[in-house]
Amino acid sequence: MMGSRVAAALLRRGRDRASALMAARVPRGAPPPAPPAPRVGSGPRGGGGGGGLLAPPRSTGSVFSASRLASFHAFRSIGSKTLMSQCTRKMSTTVAALNSGVATAAANSGLKLLVTKGPQAQKAVGIWLFGCAAWVFCLVILGGVTRLTRSGLSMTDWKFTGGLPPMSDEEWKLEFEKYKLSPEYKRVNKGMSLEDFRFIYWMEYGHRMWGRALGFLFSVPFAYFIAKGYVTRQLGLRLSALFALGAGQGLIGWWMVKSGLEEPASEYVQPRVSPYRLATHLTSAFVIYYGILWTALSVVMPEPPAGSMNWVNSAAKIKKLAIPVSAVVGITAISGAFVAGNDAGHAYNTFPKMGDTWIPEDVFTMEPFIRDIFENTSTVQLNHRILATTTLLSVGGLWLAARKLDMHPAVKSLIGSTLGMAALQVTLGISTLLMYVPTSLGSAHQAGALTLLSLMILLTHTLRRPSPALLKSLASAVKST
C-alpha cells in the first residue's frame, strides 16, 4: 500500500510538471484539443463488420508529448538518490534473508544439504572435491603407465612419509645396487644401465609422491572447511572415511609391490606382483574415486533433474537397469587387473578368435577351479573378453530402453554418451590386444575404463529419486493442469 501511494504521488507530480510545460508552449487564444470519441459497441460482437468496436481517434502530437514528459519526470523522480538507496537496502535485505533461509527451507522440504553457509560455500567445496577426483583419476592412469613400463619394482623399500630421491651419483649407485638384488633384475633386466634404472625409478617415485600429494590436497582444505563451518556432520563423516581409505591405499600399494620382490616359485616364471593384490589396489582406488566423485555431485547437485512426473517415473524405471549395468562395468574394469597381473594381454593377440579357436584348449585346466578363473592366462583373457562384450551389450540395451521412455533430455544425452564411450573402450581394448599392448594404448585403455565408470556414476546420480518437496510440487503442477 505504501509503495503504491508513493508511485501515484510521483506520477501526479510528473503530470503536473508536464502540463505546466505544455501550457507555456501552447499560444494564447488557441482552442483546446478535442476530447477523444467515446468507445461504442463495447458489448458482445454484433453482426456488423469490425467486431462492433469503433476505434478512438489518434491523439495529437501535443498529447503524446505530454505523456512522454509525464513518464520522464515520473521516472526522474523515482531515480532520486534517496529513493534508490531505500530500494537498494530493501533488495539487499531480501537477498540476505533468502540466502540465510536456504538451509531452513531445505530442512522443511526434506532435502538434506551437505554444505552449509550458502551457495558460495557449496561452490567452493564442490570445486575442491572435483579437483580431488581429477587428481585420483590421474593417479590411476599414472599407476597404469608405471605398470606398463615395468617400473613398479624399481624401489625396493617404502616409507609412509616418503623421502627425497637420490641426489648424487653415489646415492643413485646405492639404489641401483639394491635393485640388483631383486628377482626382477636377475631374471628380466640383467645388464640394465644406470640411465635405464633412473627412468623406471623416477616413474615409481612419481607415482608414490603423486599419491602423497593427494593426502595434502585433501586434508588441508578439509580442515579449512571444517573450521569455517561449511561441512555438515554427514559430509564430515563421509570425507573422513575416504581420507582413511586413502591413507590405507599407500599400505595396500606397498603390500602389492612386496609380492613382486619375492622369489618366484619356478625359475621359468617372471617376477611380477600378485594379481590378487594388484586387483585389490585397483579396486581400492576405484572405491576412493567413486566416493569423491559421488560426494562432489551430491554437493553441487542436491536435486536430480526433474521437470515433470513422467520424467521422474521414467528415471525410476531406467535406474533399475542402470544399477546392474554399473556393476557389470565395474566388474569388467576389475577383471582388467587380473589380465595385467597375469600378463594375459600378451597371450592371444588375435580377435575375435583366441589363436585359431574361439575357446583355447587349456581353459579350466588348473586345479582348484577357483584358481583357474584368476590365474590361468587363457581363462583370464577369455573372461575379460566376455565381460567387455557383455558391458557393451548392456549399455546398448540401456540406451534402447531409454529411447522408448519420456525422459529428461539431459539424461537421454548422458546415456547416449555412455554408449559411445563403451564402444570406444571396446575398440581401445581390441587395438591394445592386436598391437601387443603398447604403453600408449594400454594407458588409454585404462583411462577409458575409468571414464566409462565415471559416466555410469554420473548417470546413476542423476537418476536418483527427488526430494519429497520436489515430488509434491510436481504432483500439484499435474493436478493444476
Side-chain angles (χ1 to χ4, degrees), residues 374-429:
F374 299 108
E375 298 181 29
N376 188 339
T377 301
S378 301
T379 307
V380 167
Q381 189 183 128
L382 178 62
N383 290 340
H384 192 62
R385 292 186 180 208
I386 293 174
L387 286 170
T389 306
T390 304
T391 296
L392 181 59
L393 293 177
S394 300
V395 177
L398 184 67
W399 177 75
L400 289 175
R403 288 188 63 188
K404 301 177 182 179
L405 297 174
D406 182 19
M407 298 188 64
H408 196 289
V411 178
K412 280 194 173 183
S413 176
L414 181 57
I415 295 176
S417 300
T418 305
L419 177 60
M421 188 63 231
L424 177 60
Q425 175 66 356
V426 171
T427 304
L428 285 172

Side-chain angles (χ1 to χ4, degrees), residues 189-319:
N189 293 330
K190 195 169 185 177
M192 172 184 279
S193 65
L194 181 59
E195 290 300 320
D196 293 336
F197 170 72
R198 285 184 177 182
F199 172 78
I200 63 174
Y201 186 94
W202 279 119
M203 288 297 301
E204 174 64 11
Y205 183 82
H207 179 58
R208 294 188 183 187
M209 296 309 296
W210 192 269
R212 291 186 175 96
L214 175 63
F216 179 82
L217 179 67
F218 190 93
S219 59
V220 174
F222 185 29
Y224 170 78
F225 291 138
I226 290 177
K228 295 288 289 184
Y230 293 173
V231 179
T232 61
R233 185 174 182 273
Q234 179 185 358
L235 180 60
L237 292 175
R238 186 186 303 183
L239 295 180
S240 298
L242 289 173
F243 180 76
L245 188 59
Q249 177 72 341
L251 297 174
I252 295 174
W254 171 243
W255 176 62
M256 177 192 69
V257 170
K258 194 175 180 180
S259 66
L261 299 176
E262 300 173 355
E263 289 288 344
S266 173
E267 61 179 345
Y268 303 103
V269 177
Q270 288 188 1
R272 62 170 72 106
V273 298
S274 167
Y276 300 99
R277 299 186 185 187
L278 176 61
T280 303
H281 190 51
L282 184 62
T283 303
S284 178
F286 283 171
V287 170
I288 294 172
Y289 178 76
Y290 164 79
I292 296 177
L293 181 58
W294 185 275
T295 304
L297 292 171
S298 300
V299 167
V300 301
M301 191 170 60
E303 285 280 22
S308 66
M309 286 302 300
N310 288 336
W311 289 356
V312 173
N313 296 332
S314 299
K317 295 178 182 178
I318 291 297
K319 183 181 179 181

Side-chain angles (χ1 to χ4, degrees), residues 13-33:
R13 180 182 178 186
R15 287 177 178 173
D16 294 339
R17 290 186 180 182
S19 301
L21 289 174
M22 291 302 301
R25 289 185 180 184
V26 177
R28 292 182 179 179

